[in-house]
């Protein structure tokens, strides 16, 4: 537990609060920096608690908002509040602890808004540029909830298979498989993309996509996932009919009258 204290949310929260209270625009800017660190402390503390299990692609993502978005692809509870109640046999309360989280959309919004104040204004906006104390203060009050409470994790099971390209593990969860059509090897030097095939009871990862059938012989055509791109030529393995991918753009909504 000692290592979790390396991320001190309260420290950054208090710094931001003091800076906002005294706030001229320079201090407000530093308050934004403290609030970004508060968000990072919140996110990294959560990641650190499962650092040995999570895919490297999440752990190595330094922008807290992107790390959360990726984490949520594997763990549906990653951006949720948690509440744990333990009662005595007589029904009276023994423990009642809560973990306060930020939904990924809210976190992303605040993280980006704060980031925009960490830069000098662009020439076009120089004249009108202000850091509004009220909006900074508003963001801090939205972040306040993550400072209190204790980290609670609903453990999801991470599994891994060996990548046939690089030999490193590809980490996944059942939730990820259920909600995606493909998975990319999380080794930065490899990044091979595998199709996820649902075979009823079990799931299989394969480098081949099997979504097409030949319109001449009606047999299934398998293709390396990485080759699915505009202009790629291929043949049906059974009857040798030639095919080519062509990118088509269709409008989803009717043309305006
Ligand atoms: Zn790989
Ligand atoms: Zn064919």
């Amino acid at each position: 537990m000692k290592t979790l204290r390396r991320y001190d949310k309260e420290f950054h929260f208090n710094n931001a609060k003091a800076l906002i209270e005294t706030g001229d625009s320079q201090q407000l800017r530093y308050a934004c920096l403290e609030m970004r660190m508060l968000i990072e402390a919140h996110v990294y503390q959560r990641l650190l608690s499962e650092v040995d299990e999570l895919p490297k692609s999440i752990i190595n993502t330094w922008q807290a908002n992107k790390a959360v978005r990726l984490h949520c692809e594997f763990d549906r509870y990653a951006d949720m509040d948690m509440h744990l109640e333990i009662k005595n046999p007589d029904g009276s309360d023994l423990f009642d602890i809560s973990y306060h989280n930020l939904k990924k959309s809210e976190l992303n919004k605040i993280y980006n808004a704060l980031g925009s104040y960490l830069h000098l204004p662009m020439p076009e906006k120089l004249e009108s540029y202000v850091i509004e104390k009220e909006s900074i203060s508003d963001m801090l009050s939205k972040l306040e909830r993550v400072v209190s409470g204790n980290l609670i994790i609903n453990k999801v099971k991470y599994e891994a298979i060996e990548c046939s390209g690089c030999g490193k593990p590809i980490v996944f969860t059942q939730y990820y498989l259920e909600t995606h059509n493909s998975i990319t090897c999380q080794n930065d030097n490899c990044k091979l993309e595998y199709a996820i095939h649902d075979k009823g009871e079990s799931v299989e990862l394969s480098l081949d996509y099997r979504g097409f059938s030949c319109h001449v012989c009606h047999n299934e055509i398998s293709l390396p996932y990485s080759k699915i791109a505009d202009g790629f030529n291929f043949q049906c393995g059974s009857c040798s009919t030639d095919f080519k991918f062509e990118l088509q753009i269709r409008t989803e909504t009717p043309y305006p009258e």
Side-chain angles (χ1 to χ4, degrees):
M1 283 306 281
K2 198 178 162 207
T3 49
L4 293 182
R5 298 216 182 92
R6 271 190 236 154
Y7 297 120
D8 190 343
K9 294 191 262 188
E10 204 169 352
F11 174 76
H12 298 295
F13 178 83
N14 289 337
N15 289 346
K17 198 168 178 218
L19 285 160
I20 292 169
E21 274 162 14
T22 48
D24 60 20
S25 68
Q26 191 60 10
Q27 280 152 328
L28 288 175
R29 202 190 295 280
Y30 284 114
C32 293
L33 183 61
E34 289 290 350
M35 286 154 74
R36 284 267 284 215
M37 290 198 256
L38 165 58
I39 293 174
E40 285 169 1
H42 172 70
V43 171
Y44 296 164
Q45 182 192 57
R46 173 71 181 82
L47 297 184
L48 182 64
S49 65
E50 289 186 289
V51 71
D52 296 327
E53 288 152 278
L54 287 167
K56 291 282 168 283
S57 52
I58 300 177
I59 296 295
N60 297 334
T61 300
W62 70 266
Q63 294 109 316
N65 57 338
K66 288 187 187 164
V68 169
R69 198 177 63 218
L70 277 176
H71 194 186
C72 286
E73 290 188 16
F74 290 84
D75 181 350
R76 73 175 85 204
Y77 307 110
D79 68 343
M80 290 189 189
D81 287 355
M82 293 280 160
H83 184 106
L84 181 67
E85 256 181 44
I86 299 174
K87 298 206 179 278
N88 286 310
D90 66 6
S92 60
D93 289 341
L94 183 62
F95 273 124
D96 191 336
I97 47 175
S98 294
Y99 174 57
H100 303 127
N101 213 338
L102 286 168
K103 293 302 283 178
K104 65 179 173 192
S105 54
E106 179 83 337
L107 182 145
N108 189 50
K109 211 165 94 189
I110 299 176
Y111 188 83
N112 286 333
L114 290 169
S116 70
Y117 292 120
L118 301 180
H119 304 276
L120 290 176
M122 309 265 288
E124 267 196 338
K125 293 180 181 159
L126 188 59
E127 288 304 315
S128 59
Y129 185 81
V130 271
I131 302 181
E132 279 172 17
K133 189 169 179 168
E134 202 175 312
S135 73
I136 307 296
S137 197
D138 187 47
M139 285 190 269
L140 186 68
S141 50
K142 283 178 181 153
L143 294 177
E144 186 169 11
R145 67 192 311 278
V146 306
V147 178
S148 62
N150 293 86
L151 181 58
I152 304 172
I153 295 165
N154 184 50
K155 276 274 188 195
V156 297
K157 191 174 164 210
Y158 286 91
E159 299 169 64
I161 57 151
E162 190 178 285
C163 173
S164 59
C166 68
K168 297 260 162 44
I170 300 174
V171 180
F172 61 92
T173 57
Q174 282 307 311
Y175 178 67
Y176 186 95
L177 299 181
E178 284 161 19
T179 50
H180 292 78
N181 296 321
S182 71
I183 189 163
T184 304
C185 173
Q186 293 125 2
N187 172 6
D188 272 345
N189 299 321
C190 174
K191 292 193 167 172
L192 261 186
E193 191 175 15
Y194 290 77
I196 297 168
H197 299 294
D198 188 355
K199 305 201 323 185
E201 292 289 283
S202 66
V203 171
E204 182 193 282
L205 299 189
S206 137
L207 286 170
D208 292 333
Y209 181 76
R210 297 181 204 149
F212 314 109
S213 52
C214 173
H215 69 275
V216 178
C217 70
H218 303 291
N219 284 319
E220 191 179 69
I221 302 175
S222 294
L223 285 171
Y225 208 91
S226 56
K227 297 285 186 195
I228 300 176
D230 190 38
F232 178 64
N233 295 294
F234 59 99
Q235 275 190 340
C236 169
S238 311
C239 72
S240 300
T241 303
D242 291 313
F243 292 91
K244 183 183 183 182
F245 281 118
E246 260 180 35
L247 182 68
Q248 277 192 17
I249 298 174
R250 278 192 218 129
T251 48
E252 294 256 308
T253 47
Y255 290 110
E257 293 295 317

